[in-house]
Amino acid sequence: MAKDGSGSEPVAARRAPAGAAVLREDKTEAIRAAVFEELAAAGFARMSIEGIARRAGVGKTAVYRRWRSKLHLVLDVVSAVAVAGMPTPDTGSLSGDVRMLLEVAARALRHPMASQIIPDLLAEAARSPELAQALKAALHDSQEGVAAAVVARAVERGELPQDVDARLALDLLTGPLYWRLLVVRDELPKGYLDALSGSVVAALGAALRPE
């Protein structure tokens, strides 16, 4: 075995691993993107590793090197969404923060992939505790932190009482949009987000105002 000029450690021992030992990041990202496309086109129940690999332009082995099943692949992708989270607005007022959150949420829910993927995964979650937990983290827990921050700032400004419930705020923010866009599948009429924003702010203040 060849040695370096000092005659000590073999050169081969210090070479970077090749072949299967290297997981190329571009392939990993291509696979993750393909998961969303396959979920939107086929749904969780009918999606397959073969279909994901074909969309990503890789072999099945490239997928299996990274994830041992389609469930674990979807769990990873959903968890990545949770980590990315929703930006926390800081407009200087509760009404401004609520309006911005509604705009961001509406844009996300109106995306063609989201409108197909989210209901499908929620239905599948009823049969998979692992998926249910991942979805809870992606669709609820991460956004609850945003709602809590918005509420805390509103309390500091004196716009809301101290005993505000951040979970109620999140319910009021996301519930109407989810119902309208993903259940009823209706368009948002002109001025809807402005009206909803005013209703959410009024409801929070009224529901939690000390008697």
Side-chain angles (χ1 to χ4, degrees):
M1 185 177 294
K3 296 185 179 182
D4 61 17
S6 64
S8 56
E9 184 182 358
V11 173
R14 299 199 305 273
R15 287 175 184 162
V22 178
L23 298 180
R24 287 173 48 185
E25 187 61 27
D26 58 335
K27 285 190 176 183
T28 301
E29 290 308 310
I31 294 169
R32 287 193 174 114
V35 171
F36 286 109
E37 296 173 3
E38 188 73 1
L39 277 172
F44 182 85
R46 291 189 298 152
M47 73 180 289
S48 65
I49 295 297
E50 290 82 357
I52 293 169
R54 185 168 52 252
R55 287 181 184 274
V58 301
K60 287 192 301 180
T61 54
V63 181
Y64 281 118
R65 285 193 200 112
R66 294 161 172 81
W67 302 276
R68 64 178 181 267
S69 69
K70 73 175 185 179
L71 174 60
H72 289 90
L73 176 49
V74 171
L75 289 175
D76 175 66
V77 171
V78 168
S79 298
V81 172
V83 170
M86 181 184 290
T88 305
D90 189 7
T91 65
S93 71
L94 176 61
S95 60
D97 289 349
V98 167
R99 180 62 177 78
M100 184 175 291
L101 280 177
L102 289 173
E103 179 67 36
V104 172
R107 191 181 307 123
L109 292 175
R110 277 186 293 207
H111 191 283
M113 283 193 181
S115 66
Q116 296 172 19
I117 291 172
I118 294 175
D120 177 72
L121 287 182
L122 288 173
E124 189 65 32
R127 297 179 287 271
S128 170
E130 287 181 287
L131 184 57
Q133 184 59 40
L135 284 176
K136 182 176 181 293
L139 301 178
H140 182 272
D141 294 355
S142 61
Q143 295 178 23
E144 187 175 11
V146 174
V150 167
V151 165
R153 291 193 185 109
V155 170
E156 290 175 0
R157 291 189 295 260
E159 296 176 285
L160 290 175
Q162 292 284 343
D163 58 350
V164 144
D165 185 347
R167 288 192 172 186
L168 175 61
L170 182 58
D171 291 344
L172 292 170
L173 280 165
T174 58
L177 285 177
Y178 184 88
W179 174 262
R180 169 83 69 151
L181 294 173
L182 297 187
V183 179
V184 178
R185 293 190 174 271
D186 198 3
E187 291 295 323
L188 300 183
K190 185 177 180 180
Y192 178 83
L193 292 182
D194 290 330
L196 180 58
S197 175
S199 296
V200 169
V201 172
L204 280 173
L208 299 165
R209 187 180 296 118
E211 296 182 358

